[in-house]
Amino acid sequence: MSFSSEVKEELSRQISPARHCQIAEIAAIISMCGRVSITAGDQYALKIHTENLYVARKYFTLLKKTFNISTEIAVRQNVGPRKNRLYSVFIKNHEDAVRVLKAAKLMGPGLDIRENLSVTDNLVIQSSCCKRAFLRGAFLVSGSISDPKKSYHFEIVCATQEKAGQLAVIMNSFDLDAKIVLRKKYFVVYLKEGAQIVDILNVMEAHNALMNLENVRILKEMRNTVNRKVNCETANIHKTVNAAVKQIEDIRYIQRTIGFERLSDSLKETAAVRLEQPDATLKELGMMLTPPVGKSGVNHRLRKLSAIADDLRESKEEKHYD
């Protein structure tokens, strides 16, 4: 089971105790995948179509708990390459359909259907708990979340820009930074940062998934920290080794060309110790000198030796170096 499926399975079992929250989640499900049909006799019927069993099960449960409505469920096997199942949940009774649509603020007082089944009346998602429920329903129908072991990505796909904008506003009311992008003919509300995805799981009350994601994040951060330290130490080792190799080359060049006799006593001693201890650090070299010298002092002397070598390579002239 994918991480996205695990989240949806957990959310499908999350039933709000408050009726207004149950209605908010019903409103989200109908808004995202609902259809209203009207017969010649002005009789309304309401149905949802989904490929996700969790959506059908949650919708059926919510209708029973909230309105005590009996629904019809149909399952059809698609014949396409995916051969997935399509679940349909029907409310065929006119009074029941109208009652649900009005409660979910998807129908006006004159039995007019809101455009694209949009929740235009904010009363259904007025409180924070109802907003959480609404986001749960929307994610169940059209959401997905990537495996946190690979990347951090959360999204809900909407058919219209208005619905995407509404979801983004609701999500951002919880101090999130949801953005909208057009993908083909759909509008996608998404979050990219790991911390933001942790927050949205908390908002939707998917606490088990949240803990699993946090565990993955901690492991990834630990690995990243270790890798950064290893890379830093490796870079420092390379830098130290390369510097030591260059210093020894310069000292040997001086030795071959003018010898150490033309060097000052301090430079002569430092050059000799560096040749004897090619792997020693600056601190270790300083402790071997008489009297001992600090890291900066040793570094200064070695830089001076390198400068002398460079000068000899350029001028080939004999000089006395202090």
Side-chain angles (χ1 to χ4, degrees), residues 172 175-178 191-201:
N172 292 340
D175 295 325
L176 297 170
D177 186 25
L191 299 169
K192 294 291 288 184
E193 296 180 8
Q196 296 264 305
I197 296 174
V198 168
D199 289 341
I200 191 63
L201 289 175

Side-chain angles (χ1 to χ4, degrees), residues 22 24-25 27 44 102 105 107 110 120 147 151 153 166 180 188-189 206 217 264 267 269-270 281 298 306 315:
Q22 296 170 7
E25 192 162 356
Y44 286 75
K102 282 187 174 181
K105 306 302 180 187
M107 174 183 280
T120 56
D147 185 346
S151 63
H153 185 80
Q166 180 188 40
I180 301 173
V188 181
V189 187
R217 286 185 70 213
S264 65
L267 292 182
E269 183 187 15
T270 303
T281 64
V298 174
S306 293
S315 65

